[in-house]
Amino acid sequence: APPDMSPLYENACRHAWGQDLAAGQAETGRLWAGLSRVAAETAGAWIRDPVTAEEITTPSPANRPVAHPYLKLMVANASVNQGAGFLVTSLAEARRRGIPDARLVHVGAGAAAQEPYEILDRPDFTASPSMETVLARTLDFNGMTAADLALVELYSCFPVVPKLACRSLNWPEDRPVSTFGGLTFGGAPVANYMSHAVVAMTRALRGTADRGLLYANGGIVTTNHAIVISGAPLDTALPRDPDVQAEADAKRAPAPALDEDHEGPVTLES
């Protein structure tokens, strides 16, 4: 299950990035404190009391361990009662119905790919070629770079996911990674979290020329989807096939063979 396997990704990535436990937890605390500040300013968020990085990384009766190194304030909060909705239509239909231009938010191109569902079919737990490909191609398809983005929503079910996404995008440490507040503080109505993110980003982009990227992840760093939306019209040619699976698969190294009869030295993956 994700609460079992995502910490293995976290610990393996921390080692690959040259971080000790304190440094890895400090990065989580910084990211999650930022999410709590966004949620505090978001009317629809579930937990609107900002918390500090130290509170997030310190075990307590209210912040119990979940799976090393994650504590309760670092993981998705599904104990919520939330709903969200949004409308997608053609520009012609929006105008026929009298929607003013200042209320329109324009949909760009997106991309999608996934990792093998079987964990042992993956080469290691330190990267996601499908995530990297989806993020890169979503930007390419819309003729932009991460520097052109005013807003992002980087899925935050467990800290390793936005950490990987931030490194893939080279996203600055001092910029928010959510417009809604993340899955801990904004609240995680399971698969509907991204609907809340769409609504929050739409509201933030209305009446501006800014662009935003929405990135969703599911399973155990498994499914990856991203799309760009913009307050101003985009030059993106649509429709465009979002499937970039073949490119992601070509980047993925072969998984090591499983030898159940092995005797001898082994390499610890996480």
Side-chain angles (χ1 to χ4, degrees), residues 127-217:
S128 171
S130 58
M131 177 195 295
E132 295 165 6
T133 304
V134 162
L135 291 171
R137 288 293 162 259
T138 297
L139 293 173
D140 290 345
F141 290 166
N142 292 282
M144 62 183 67
T145 69
D148 297 315
L149 298 169
L151 303 169
V152 296
E153 182 73 44
L154 304 181
Y155 203 75
S156 53
C157 52
F158 299 95
V160 72
V161 175
K163 287 181 181 182
L164 283 165
C166 282
R167 284 165 171 81
S168 183
L169 292 169
N170 196 27
W171 192 248
E173 288 188 3
D174 60 345
R175 297 187 64 186
V177 297
S178 175
T179 55
F180 182 65
L183 278 81
T184 302
F185 307 104
V190 196
N192 197 43
Y193 174 81
M194 288 307 293
S195 294
H196 293 266
V198 168
V199 171
M201 189 173 288
T202 296
R203 287 172 167 168
L205 291 173
R206 274 184 177 145
T208 75
D210 291 340
R211 301 165 177 177
L213 180 140
L214 294 148
Y215 163 69
N217 181 277

Side-chain angles (χ1 to χ4, degrees), residues 201-270:
M201 189 173 288
T202 296
R203 287 172 167 168
L205 291 173
R206 274 184 177 145
T208 75
D210 291 340
R211 301 165 177 177
L213 180 140
L214 294 148
Y215 163 69
N217 181 277
I220 304 161
V221 196
T222 304
T223 57
N224 298 271
H225 296 260
I227 195 167
V228 165
I229 62 176
S230 173
L234 294 162
D235 294 329
T236 309
L238 296 173
R240 178 187 283 273
D241 185 357
D243 187 349
V244 294
Q245 189 67 52
E247 181 179 351
D249 290 343
K251 294 178 179 177
R252 187 179 302 104
L258 179 62
D259 180 1
E260 297 186 28
D261 299 319
H262 174 79
E263 295 183 11
V266 298
T267 300
L268 181 67
E269 292 195 64
S270 183

